[in-house]
Amino acid sequence: MGAHPGDTYSTPVWVPDAAPVTNRWSGYLDATTTGYWYVTGGETTCNDAAHCTVAQVKASLNDGGAVPTIYTAAVGKGRDHLWAGAVDGLRINKYVYDFGADGVRVRRVS
């Protein structure tokens, strides 16, 4: 829990590397191997000034307390340039969410 032991809410944030292509679809981006992560709220040492890998974020959240729970996931974009795009194949732990015109399909992966 770091500097805020009574605070039990934070937001992990992934900042991707520069876009590999422009004006067309890119391949899958892997947030476990590209870009960097930080956690809001001060619960870990991974913050906006001290960037971490996904492995470091997970280790910093493994403090002996309750297992962290993901309540929501969101995709956002900063204020610097226009982005019009889509997300597909979003993987959270062992589940991949494929978004399509007929809804969301969820696949379990190992």
Side-chain angles (χ1 to χ4, degrees):
M1 293 284 197
H4 304 283
D7 186 358
T8 59
Y9 180 86
S10 61
T11 303
V13 177
W14 175 58
V15 179
D17 292 335
V21 297
T22 57
N23 297 323
R24 60 189 168 126
W25 288 102
S26 70
Y28 284 108
L29 302 176
D30 186 344
T32 65
T33 60
T34 63
Y36 65 87
W37 287 84
Y38 65 91
V39 179
T40 66
E43 288 85 358
T44 78
T45 57
C46 299
N47 56 50
D48 195 24
H51 305 154
C52 293
T53 66
V54 71
Q56 291 168 320
V57 168
K58 289 171 73 174
S60 72
L61 292 171
N62 187 13
D63 62 0
V67 175
T69 301
I70 298 173
Y71 291 109
T72 62
V75 176
K77 204 263 165 237
R79 298 174 286 182
D80 53 351
H81 299 286
L82 174 68
W83 178 72
V87 174
D88 194 23
L90 174 64
R91 180 175 178 171
I92 299 175
N93 296 325
K94 294 184 177 187
Y95 295 94
V96 173
Y97 301 87
D98 284 320
F99 302 90
D102 57 344
V104 180
R105 288 180 293 146
V106 181
R107 293 185 294 119
R108 184 176 170 90
V109 295
S110 45

